[in-house]
Amino acid sequence: MKTSIATVSISGNLREKLTAIAAAGFDGIEIFEQDFIADPGSPRDIGNMIRDMGLDITLFQPFRDFEGLTGAQRVKAFDRARRKFDLMNQLGTDLILVCSSLHTDALGGIDRLAQDFHDLGDLAAQFDVRVGYEALAWGKHINDHRDVWEIVRRADHQNVGVILDSFHTLARKIDPNSIQSIPGDKIFFVQLADAPRIDMDLLYWSRHFRNMPGEGDLDVTGFMRAICATGYAGPISLEIFNDQFRGGNTKLLAQDGYRSLINLMDQVYRSAPALAPTPIPLPKPSHVDGIEFIEFATAENDAQNLRQTLAAMGFRHVANHITKDVAVWQQGHIRIILNTDRGGFAHSSYLAHGTGICDIGLRVENAADTVARANAMGTATFEQELGQGELRIPAIRGVGGSVMHFIGRDNDLSRVWDIEFKPLDPDHMSETGTGLTTVDHIAETMNYDEMLSWSLFYRAIFDMEKTPLVDVIDPDGLVRSQAIADPNRTTRITPTGAETHRTLAGHLLADSFSGAVQHVAFACDDIFATARDMQSRGFETLPMSSNYYDDLASRFDIAPDVLTQMQTLNILMDRDDAGTLFQFYSKPFGRGMFFEVVQRTGTYDGYGAPNAPFRIAAQKRFMRSKGIPKL
């Protein structure tokens, strides 16, 4: 099944779009009339240029307001069609999309419209092209693919067929299984788009809020299963109208589009193998079983403060690399790597971004399969020259140019800590921690227009699910956050999108010149004991205002002595029907990073979003003042 994308779906001029589409791996394009008209090349030259890039022109679109006209207007409609058919011959494409009419003078009636399309089919046959009819969800007379099929059936012409668009079907809540009544050979083309579920005018919703399959709330997988059940084996194509995409990164959008189609067809195959026209030879989405390590890129002059912070949190320096200036700090099941070596990727990351998390290691079922799936989704593999005695651990590129390594349960790569590292004095190992057990979640910060991309990245490669977007109020703007986690909640990642550098998240982007991990949250079983222990070791918690605790007492029933302890220890709280979350934070360090400690009770599954505005305001009191330049 060929992959295709409408040129209207991504930003840039036609040639920029074509370059990005070809590089992403698509087989073809729908050429949008506006993109074609704006290009200075002749139709023949444009067609040759497209084919020279290894692409087919799968569809020319759109042809509007054709059917249901009478008299001179009908004659003019057929004259316009004749001109477009000639143009298609010059371009080298044989299929045009006719969308259901919005013309104020258009008349309805199934038989009338069927005759229009029969006559149009006769004209199309003279040019050896085909006509595909599509129901716009807001069409004047025709807004349902079932009516389109009845018109095409009555038109009874081999050059006339149906074009189906997931948005037009799913936005009107039409059962996609009704598609199965259409013979596969009469479906000429399939367009795909997802969208967030919003209650608004259909036309406005479609023109501004579509996104890639898997990025919204519509059942595009169910739609595609119904398509496959008909025996359809033609192109599957993206048609996306989105204000954010129109100003986005052309190359990134094309990569997202390709990834979304491959992931969609993989989902169809896994949910209904008998329906998929050709199995996609992909490893299954990788099951993640927790965070294996978190690696900081830093330098000796910056590392000392980080060491002091880790020691105050109860981490122990347990091992050093056999040949490099790389140290392992550990507590419970948490492993922190401090890389101060003056070579390799980590040093390059430090030079570019300063002290920060450059690498995350995930425990997966099969490391090689995870990388193979990521590669099939268009993600770049990461490799660097190995030093003496080092293992080659599979890895890919992640957010902001960072790296993600995979430790598989299927091999001995987990022995990397025994092979590449020398343990320190065993007497030092007897020191106890402060009760931190695991990594609860990792919060990644990025530009807002990249959030959908990275959400799709995680869910296409890993067996992970998303939560709804959450708006977080920063005193200087709005940021958006969305949690992504595996079903067992062993691995949680919270991408956060910033639109302005004035927010706390935007401050990190501006100062580090890239998207990156802004904070790591560690889990514990008794946050009060952990907080007291850490403070006794010199850890400075982020101070919260007394107004916060007065408000907390008015919202929740909290025993007075517990509330007093919370205020003394700067512990925040959120509660819902599932349980309670306690959390406290470090003061910000470096270029705006910080640590968090949490305790979850019951089945609380959130991240304390109601506390975020107060936490951000408190953190900003320790940041560089507005208008003060960075030294």
Side-chain angles (χ1 to χ4, degrees):
M1 190 170 281
K2 288 185 175 181
T3 58
S4 173
I5 184 171
T7 56
V8 73
S9 302
I10 60 177
S11 60
N13 60 44
L14 178 60
R15 292 163 194 252
E16 292 169 337
K17 294 179 182 188
L18 294 175
T19 300
I21 290 168
F26 284 94
D27 300 309
I29 63 157
E30 300 176 41
I31 189 164
F32 198 70
E33 188 174 45
Q34 182 174 312
D35 287 321
F36 160 74
I37 293 172
D39 192 272
S42 70
R44 202 170 304 280
D45 288 342
I46 291 174
N48 289 334
M49 174 183 65
I50 292 169
R51 284 180 286 277
D52 287 345
M53 291 184 173
L55 299 169
D56 294 328
I57 305 175
T58 55
L59 180 71
F60 181 80
Q61 66 122 335
F63 189 64
R64 303 181 188 276
D65 295 334
F66 162 71
E67 75 278 21
L69 299 174
T70 60
Q73 289 182 322
R74 189 176 192 271
V75 172
K76 181 61 177 176
F78 276 86
D79 181 61
R80 285 193 296 119
R82 183 178 290 103
R83 291 174 181 270
K84 296 305 178 187
F85 294 162
D86 179 63
L87 173 62
M88 290 167 62
N89 285 168
Q90 295 178 60
L91 279 169
T93 187
D94 72 340
L95 180 61
I96 189 171
L97 179 149
V98 178
C99 51
S100 58
S101 181
L102 301 175
H103 199 291
T104 55
D105 296 332
L107 302 177
I110 296 293
D111 288 331
R112 180 197 308 275
L113 303 186
Q115 186 62 54
D116 285 343
F117 276 98
H118 180 86
D119 295 346
L120 186 63
D122 284 345
L123 181 60
Q126 297 175 28
F127 291 85
D128 198 24
V129 299
R130 298 174 299 146
V131 173
Y133 187 31
E134 174 190 72
L136 294 178
W138 52 90
K140 182 179 181 182
H141 297 292
I142 303 300
N143 54 35
D144 188 319
H145 66 252
R146 293 169 291 190
D147 292 332
V148 162
W149 165 232
E150 183 58 22
I151 291 167
V152 168
R153 188 186 69 80
R154 295 190 193 187
D156 191 23
H157 201 293
Q158 64 178 2
N159 289 66
V160 178
V162 176
I163 290 181
L164 296 167
D165 183 309
S166 62
F167 180 86
H168 295 308
T169 295
L170 300 175
R172 293 189 66 86
K173 301 181 180 179
I174 300 169
D175 184 357
N177 290 317
S178 60
I179 291 169
Q180 296 183 40
S181 65
I182 307 174
D185 62 349
K186 293 304 290 184
I187 301 174
F188 281 5
F189 202 76
V190 171
Q191 295 176 318
L192 299 169
D194 205 338
R197 180 63 69 179
I198 308 173
D199 185 14
M200 64 167 53
D201 173 76
L202 289 171
L203 173 59
Y204 194 83
W205 186 18
S206 173
R207 286 293 176 260
H208 299 276
F209 294 99
R210 292 194 188 200
N211 47 33
M212 307 295 183
E215 293 180 343
D217 301 320
L218 303 183
D219 183 16
V220 184
T221 303
F223 176 88
M224 197 62 217
R225 275 198 301 267
I227 295 286
C228 291
T230 69
Y232 174 78
I236 53 171
S237 189
L238 297 171
E239 187 190 45
I240 313 295
F241 300 93
N242 186 294
D243 295 345
Q244 180 179 318
F245 291 4
R246 289 185 178 99
N249 182 299
T250 307
K251 180 179 178 181
L252 182 63
L253 289 169
Q255 291 173 340
D256 285 350
Y258 183 76
R259 178 181 292 142
S260 73
L261 286 182
I262 299 301
N263 186 52
L264 173 66
M265 292 311 299
D266 184 58
Q267 289 178 332
V268 171
Y269 171 68
R270 294 186 186 284
S271 62
L275 294 181
T278 52
I280 299 177
L282 289 181
K284 65 182 180 180
S286 185
H287 174 72
V288 188
D289 192 31
I291 308 295
E292 179 74 14
F293 68 85
I294 296 170
E295 181 173 341
F296 280 86
T298 186
E300 191 58 40
N301 57 329
D302 292 340
Q304 187 55 35
N305 288 336
L306 195 50
R307 293 187 191 105
Q308 291 174 353
T309 300
L310 292 176
M313 297 181 75
F315 287 92
R316 300 169 312 202
H317 181 187
V318 298
N320 289 325
H321 195 272
I322 55 176
T323 62
K324 296 179 177 178
D325 291 329
V326 179
V328 180
W329 289 67
Q330 194 164 343
Q331 180 176 184
H333 296 288
I334 308 164
R335 190 177 282 111
I336 304 291
I337 310 299
L338 297 189
N339 192 329
T340 57
D341 200 68
R342 298 181 63 83
F345 168 74
H347 185 59
S348 299
S349 177
Y350 171 76
L351 294 177
H353 310 300
T355 293
I357 293 172
C358 66
D359 194 348
I360 297 171
L362 299 182
R363 290 189 293 275
V364 296
E365 188 173 354
N366 186 297
D369 282 355
T370 303
V371 171
R373 184 175 178 87
N375 289 162
M377 299 291 174
T379 301
T381 302
F382 170 82
E383 289 186 2
Q384 66 177 344
E385 185 176 347
L386 295 180
Q388 183 178 359
E390 291 184 318
L391 301 176
R392 185 167 297 283
I393 301 174
I396 60 175
R397 288 286 187 175
V399 175
S402 64
V403 170
M404 189 172 288
H405 276 90
F406 303 116
I407 305 295
R409 296 200 302 267
D410 61 313
N411 53 42
D412 64 353
L413 291 179
S414 60
R415 294 184 58 239
V416 63
W417 311 111
D418 301 321
I419 295 171
E420 292 191 20
F421 292 86
K422 294 186 299 184
L424 298 182
D425 186 344
D427 291 340
H428 185 61
M429 299 299 98
S430 62
E431 297 178 10
T432 59
T434 58
L436 303 184
T437 56
T438 60
V439 175
D440 184 85
H441 65 273
I442 294 175
E444 293 182 325
T445 298
M446 59 204 64
N447 290 314
Y448 174 63
D449 60 7
E450 296 179 351
M451 274 193 71
L452 288 175
S453 299
W454 289 110
S455 173
L456 178 62
F457 164 88
Y458 283 114
R459 290 180 295 108
I461 298 172
F462 305 106
D463 179 17
M464 299 181 108
E465 54 196 25
K466 65 178 180 178
T467 63
L469 277 170
V470 174
D471 290 340
V472 178
I473 306 300
D474 184 292
D476 295 296
L478 186 72
V479 296
R480 292 178 173 88
S481 182
Q482 182 174 56
I484 300 167
D486 71 288
N488 295 327
R489 299 302 191 262
T490 64
T491 309
R492 301 170 183 255
I493 297 171
T494 57
T496 300
E499 294 185 89
T500 170
H501 70 279
R502 292 171 63 86
T503 61
L504 184 71
H507 175 92
L508 177 75
L509 293 179
D511 274 13
S512 62
F513 308 107
S514 175
V517 174
Q518 182 156 33
H519 86 266
V520 179
F522 303 113
C524 68
D525 296 326
D526 184 345
I527 199 167
F528 293 93
T530 293
R532 283 192 292 268
D533 196 349
M534 286 171 57
Q535 286 190 16
S536 71
R537 298 170 186 241
F539 182 83
E540 295 185 64
T541 54
L542 180 71
M544 301 300 299
S545 72
S546 59
N547 294 328
Y548 170 79
Y549 294 98
D550 290 340
D551 178 70
L552 202 63
S554 70
R555 293 190 293 125
F556 300 113
D557 291 328
I558 306 173
D561 61 321
V562 174
L563 187 65
T564 299
Q565 289 185 67
M566 290 174 62
Q567 185 166 1
T568 300
L569 298 171
N570 292 306
I571 293 173
L572 296 78
M573 190 190 85
D574 185 38
R575 181 180 292 162
D576 61 21
D577 293 340
T580 301
L581 177 77
F582 295 101
Q583 55 191 160
F584 67 84
Y585 296 87
S586 72
K587 293 179 181 178
F589 62 89
R591 301 191 181 193
M593 293 193 65
F594 56 95
F595 291 119
E596 177 185 2
V597 175
V598 305
Q599 179 188 349
R600 298 174 183 272
T601 70
T603 57
Y604 182 96
D605 199 37
Y607 300 84
N611 292 326
F614 315 117
R615 178 263 298 172
I616 292 171
Q619 288 170 321
K620 282 196 159 188
R621 289 193 282 272
F622 292 90
M623 303 292 287
R624 188 173 68 246
S625 299
K626 298 175 186 176
I628 303 299
K630 180 175 63 176
L631 298 178

